[in-house]
């Protein structure tokens, strides 16, 4: 009796998974410390500007994966 | 008379919501659980966008988020990020959940769990325990709605009356039109919130700086109180580890309410399209967070940070703007509490009472929408009126538990070897650890209690599953048609010998 997990089975599937992990990392531990300073960008604290960027980047990545058919 | 204009605007919003919600279910048989529960799966992408978006944006947007900005600073932004990532969850799981539900006639998350693990008890248990968190959330929103009515009426409406007014309004259209009403009212509430949030944010900015740029506000924050500009924030309680793990546990929490909302879509494509654009809805938080930062300078001695935006509107803005903020906050509270009441009634009826009392579908359908009344009268109203301090604890436990249901979902979509015993004991272990690390020894090493719970849960889930018998071949075939042969490959010859 095998106990394997379902994983992506195409190159596009793996690329899609990689992109999702990438965008989650952008909003968490490895990246946030790099931006944790008092800089003001576009009139807002850098973390606020970054949050807005993440909003649009996440939407873009989901749109892109829909486009390439990476996740059925 | 002029001072009551904000109150009149707030009440007008309620009247419009009732009219819209009541007429949403016209000409449909709402004694049918499918119709009342998931609106006959008929919602397009725009309706889904507003349904999920407005459902996710609660009274927190207008009270909690400016309050957090006021007391902590930038740590509040973790909410913007986790809501954005929750859209990924809707985008990935939503279409899969919808397809399963359509194929096998599940309406709720608990029904899908019962089906996958061949255990009605496990489904019923999941329904009852996850409802603790969902009802606590509904109670918090109802308390918020009652508070707004109290402030806008200058104390004329006491809290207990406000609780009954807001629940009464919701009950009228929820009983009449079910998920259809939630869809239509959320569309209206979502639009209202987007407009009000930017309007109030820009108004406050102009009043404070003379222009519309946020820069002078943050230049001053940077000069006078720089600790508000970085993590761990002014209260020092949100370091990067806690920020990250709080976001992660939110990603793993798939609410019963979300599940049912996905079921209401008219196609997989509608959910995918709506979820793809969903993050853009959460821009609504940004101007309200800016209002919180302005409040730091305007109300340095404010006792309750959550009231900063309302206080600012009532004191300094034209009555119409204050009224719009009242209506917007009420809309945010109601649009988040009504899906919770709806989902609990639907799940209690279909997943707990129907199997327990052996109801047929007609009886379950009739009782489903009637259940909203006892839920409101005996659970939500009394606890909202009491406003117990422990409510936040109930909510915390609820959140922790909702996250602990994630392995059950893993077993539904990714791992055919998962068993009901593994799911149950994982859930149990994870829940205990979450409670322990929420209250007795809070968040060890700065890691969110729910993540500790999930680590234990996953380990137990996998270990116990490998030690116990998986679901029948027939069930696995329905959930994992492409993996069933792999799972049962060693059994096939054995079965053949037995057959001989």
């Amino acid at each position: 009796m095998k106990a394997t997990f379902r994983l992506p089975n195409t190159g596009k599937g793996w690329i899609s998974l990689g992109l999702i992990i990438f965008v989650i990392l952008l909003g968490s531990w490895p990246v946030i410390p790099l931006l944790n300073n008092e800089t003001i960008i576009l009139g807002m604290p850098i973390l606020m500007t970054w949050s807005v960027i993440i909003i649009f980047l996440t939407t873009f990545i989901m749109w892109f994966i829909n486009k390439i058919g990476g996740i059925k | 008379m002029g001072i009551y204009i904000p109150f009149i605007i707030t009440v007008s919003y309620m009247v419009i919501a009732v009219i819209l919600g009541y007429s949403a279910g016209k000409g449909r048989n709402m004694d049918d659980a499918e119709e009342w529960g998931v609106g006959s799966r008929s919602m397009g992408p725009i309706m889904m966008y507003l349904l999920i978006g407005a459902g996710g944006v609660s009274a927190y947007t207008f009270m909690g988020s400016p309050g957090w900005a006021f007391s902590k600073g930038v740590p509040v932004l973790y909410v913007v990020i986790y809501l954005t990532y929750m859209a990924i969850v809707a985008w990935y799981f939503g279409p899969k959940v919808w397809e399963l539900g359509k194929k096998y006639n599940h309406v709720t998350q608990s029904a899908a769990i019962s089906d996958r693990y061949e255990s009605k008890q496990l489904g019923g248990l999941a329904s009852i325990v996850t409802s603790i968190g969902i009802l606590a959330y509904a109670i918090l929103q109802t308390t918020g709605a009652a508070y707004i009515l109290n402030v806008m009426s200058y104390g004329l409406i006491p809290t207990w009356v406000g609780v009954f007014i807001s629940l009464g309004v919701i009950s009228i259209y929820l009983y009449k039109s079910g998920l259809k009403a939630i869809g239509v009212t959320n569309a209206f509430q979502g639009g209202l919130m987007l407009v009000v949030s930017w309007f109030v944010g820009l108004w406050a900015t102009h009043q404070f700086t003379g222009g519309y740029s946020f820069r002078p506000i943050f230049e001053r924050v940077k000069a006078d109180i720089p600790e508000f500009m970085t993590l761990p924030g002014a209260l020092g309680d949100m370091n990067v580890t806690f920020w990250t793990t709080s976001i992660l546990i939110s990603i793993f929490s798939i609410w019963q309410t979300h599940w049912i909302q996905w079921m209401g879509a008219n196609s997989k494509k509608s959910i995918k399209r709506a979820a793809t654009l969903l993050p853009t809805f959460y821009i609504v938080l940004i101007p309200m967070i800016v209002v919180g930062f302005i409040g730091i300078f305007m109300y340095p001695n404010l006792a309750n940070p959550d009231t900063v935006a309302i206080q600012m509107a009532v004191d300094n803005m034209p009555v119409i703007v204050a009224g719009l903020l009242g209506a917007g906050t009420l809309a945010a509270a109601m649009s988040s509490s009504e899906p919770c009441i709806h989902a609990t009634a639907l799940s209690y009826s279909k997943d707990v009472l129907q199997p327990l009392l052996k109801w047929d579908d007609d009886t379950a359908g009739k009782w489903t929408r009637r259940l909203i009344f006892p839920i409101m009268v005996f659970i939500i109203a009394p606890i909202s009126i009491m406003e117990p301090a422990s409510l936040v604890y109930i909510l915390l436990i609820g959140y922790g538990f909702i996250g602990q249901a994630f392995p059950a979902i893993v077993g539904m979509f990714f791992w055919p070897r998962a068993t009901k015993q593994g799911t149950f004991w994982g859930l149990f272990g994870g829940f205990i650890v979450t409670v322990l690390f929420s209250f007795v020894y809070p968040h060890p090493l700065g890691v969110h209690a729910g993540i500790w719970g999930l680590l234990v849960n996953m380990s137990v889930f996998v270990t116990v599953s490998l030690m116990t018998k998986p679901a029948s071949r027939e069930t696995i075939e329905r959930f994992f048609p492409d993996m069933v042969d792999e799972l049962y490959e060693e059994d096939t010859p054995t079965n053949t010998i037995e057959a001989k």
Side-chain angles (χ1 to χ4, degrees):
Chain A
M1 194 169 272
K2 278 196 178 171
T4 45
F5 278 81
R6 172 175 281 156
L7 293 166
N9 50 12
T10 62
K12 283 177 185 173
W14 281 107
I15 290 168
S16 305
L17 179 64
L19 284 170
I20 290 166
I21 291 168
F22 169 71
V23 83
I24 289 171
L25 292 178
L26 288 182
S28 49
W29 163 71
V31 176
I32 292 298
L34 307 175
L35 304 169
N36 193 23
N37 57 57
E38 296 159 21
T39 313
I40 294 174
I41 292 184
L42 301 174
M44 295 181 283
I46 189 167
L47 279 178
M48 190 181 271
T49 309
W50 191 243
S51 305
V52 175
I53 289 168
I54 283 177
I55 284 176
F56 290 105
L57 194 64
T58 305
T59 284
F60 172 76
I61 281 174
M62 288 192 279
W63 170 85
F64 177 75
I65 295 170
N66 294 344
K67 205 82 188 152
I68 63 168
I71 288 177
K72 294 283 175 275
Chain B
M1 180 64 207
I3 63 163
Y4 288 112
I5 289 175
F7 178 63
I8 293 164
I9 293 171
T10 306
V11 170
S12 305
Y13 147 75
M14 284 180 132
V15 173
I16 295 168
V18 169
I19 294 167
L20 285 173
Y22 191 85
S23 49
K26 242 191 180 132
R28 293 175 176 273
N29 172 25
M30 288 293 165
D31 272 340
D32 176 55
E34 175 89 0
E35 185 67 78
W36 188 84
V38 293
S40 281
R41 307 178 203 265
S42 60
M43 296 183 192
I46 296 171
M47 191 72 103
M48 287 303 295
Y49 172 82
L50 291 163
L51 176 72
I52 305 171
V57 169
S58 64
Y60 181 87
T61 306
F62 294 92
M63 293 166 73
S65 69
W68 264 51
F70 174 90
S71 56
K72 299 173 194 259
V74 294
V76 66
L77 292 159
Y78 101 94
V79 178
V80 177
I81 293 179
Y82 94 66
L83 282 170
T84 299
Y85 292 162
M86 278 172 92
I88 299 175
V89 174
W91 168 83
Y92 182 80
F93 285 105
K96 289 179 166 52
V97 164
W98 185 89
E99 193 172 33
L100 269 183
K102 183 136 180 88
K103 227 171 175 175
Y104 304 124
N105 212 15
H106 316 140
V107 176
T108 61
Q109 190 181 51
S110 312
I113 290 173
S114 294
D115 190 18
R116 163 63 182 88
Y117 296 102
E118 299 173 332
S119 169
K120 286 216 181 324
Q121 292 88 337
L122 189 64
L125 185 73
S127 166
I128 289 168
V129 184
T130 52
S131 74
I132 295 170
I134 291 169
L135 287 171
Y137 191 66
I139 290 161
L140 278 181
Q141 301 305 323
T142 306
T143 309
Y147 169 80
I148 290 298
L149 286 169
N150 179 267
V151 170
M152 290 293 152
S153 67
Y154 287 89
L156 216 61
I157 297 179
T159 302
W160 71 271
V161 176
V163 164
F164 281 105
I165 290 174
S166 65
L167 288 177
V169 164
I170 289 171
S171 71
I172 295 169
Y173 57 74
L174 197 53
Y175 179 77
K176 179 74 177 63
S177 308
L179 191 71
K180 278 272 188 202
I182 296 176
V184 171
T185 53
N186 273 20
F188 168 60
Q189 288 156 337
L192 184 69
M193 279 187 256
L194 282 169
V195 172
V196 168
S197 161
W198 279 102
F199 198 72
V200 169
L202 291 172
W203 191 284
T205 303
H206 188 262
Q207 210 167 32
F208 189 68
T209 67
Y212 290 104
S213 165
F214 298 153
R215 182 174 290 276
I217 302 163
F218 293 113
E219 295 282 11
R220 187 166 166 192
V221 171
K222 186 179 172 179
D224 297 358
I225 38 171
E227 65 275 18
F228 278 78
M229 297 284 282
T230 55
L231 301 177
L235 298 180
D237 57 359
M238 176 71 95
N239 62 20
V240 173
T241 310
F242 196 60
W243 161 289
T244 301
T245 51
S246 300
I247 286 170
L248 286 179
I249 193 64
S250 308
I251 297 173
F252 294 129
S253 299
I254 299 180
W255 288 55
Q256 179 85 274
T257 44
H258 300 166
W259 195 281
I260 291 166
Q261 286 167 358
W262 300 338
M263 289 293 188
N266 60 9
S267 68
K268 288 197 305 181
K269 213 176 203 167
S270 289
I271 305 176
K272 244 194 166 52
R273 280 184 182 168
T276 300
L277 286 174
L278 196 57
T280 60
F281 192 92
Y282 302 125
I283 290 280
V284 71
L285 283 142
I286 299 292
M288 293 313 298
I289 289 170
V290 173
V291 167
F293 276 101
I294 294 170
I296 298 169
F297 303 108
M298 287 178 77
Y299 299 100
N301 302 314
L302 189 70
N304 180 0
D306 285 355
T307 61
V308 64
I310 308 284
Q311 192 73 50
M312 202 182 293
V314 170
D315 289 352
N316 306 301
M317 294 184 193
V319 285
I320 291 181
V321 182
L324 281 174
L325 182 63
T329 311
L330 200 57
M334 284 166 61
S335 66
S336 297
S337 70
E338 63 205 29
C340 295
I341 297 163
H342 169 264
T344 305
L346 184 61
S347 186
Y348 278 4
S349 160
K350 294 293 290 177
D351 306 318
V352 181
L353 295 172
Q354 187 171 6
L356 201 67
L357 305 173
K358 308 276 184 287
W359 282 346
D360 57 26
D361 283 346
D362 281 351
T363 312
K366 282 197 181 84
W367 274 101
T368 296
R369 63 178 178 153
R370 290 179 194 167
L371 275 180
I372 65 169
F373 298 108
I375 288 169
M376 285 178 172
V377 172
F378 297 116
I379 302 173
I380 298 176
I383 301 176
S384 300
I385 291 163
M386 286 188 301
E387 291 183 66
S390 62
L391 187 64
V392 177
Y393 290 122
I394 299 170
L395 187 66
L396 260 176
I397 294 175
Y399 262 115
F401 194 87
I402 291 166
Q404 301 314 310
F406 190 73
I409 313 297
V410 168
M412 208 177 285
F413 296 106
F414 300 111
W415 199 42
R417 188 65 185 80
T419 69
K420 66 179 173 195
Q421 294 88 346
T423 307
F424 174 80
W425 289 111
L427 205 67
F428 182 76
F431 181 57
I432 298 292
V433 170
T434 305
V435 172
L436 207 66
F437 286 170
S438 292
F439 312 118
V440 182
Y441 184 53
H443 313 298
L445 307 176
V447 172
H448 194 288
I451 292 291
W452 286 114
L454 208 50
L455 288 170
V456 170
N457 185 339
M458 265 296 188
S459 314
V460 175
F461 167 70
V462 170
T463 309
V464 176
S465 287
L466 291 173
M467 290 161 61
T468 47
K469 219 167 142 264
S472 68
R473 188 183 177 108
E474 185 199 351
T475 298
I476 298 298
E477 191 143 24
R478 290 193 292 118
F479 283 83
F480 297 94
D482 54 332
M483 294 174 84
V484 67
D485 290 334
E486 193 180 311
L487 179 67
Y488 280 96
E489 66 177 355
E490 290 165 21
D491 276 12
T492 314
T494 321
N495 291 343
T496 317
I497 291 162
E498 278 173 6
K500 281 175 185 172

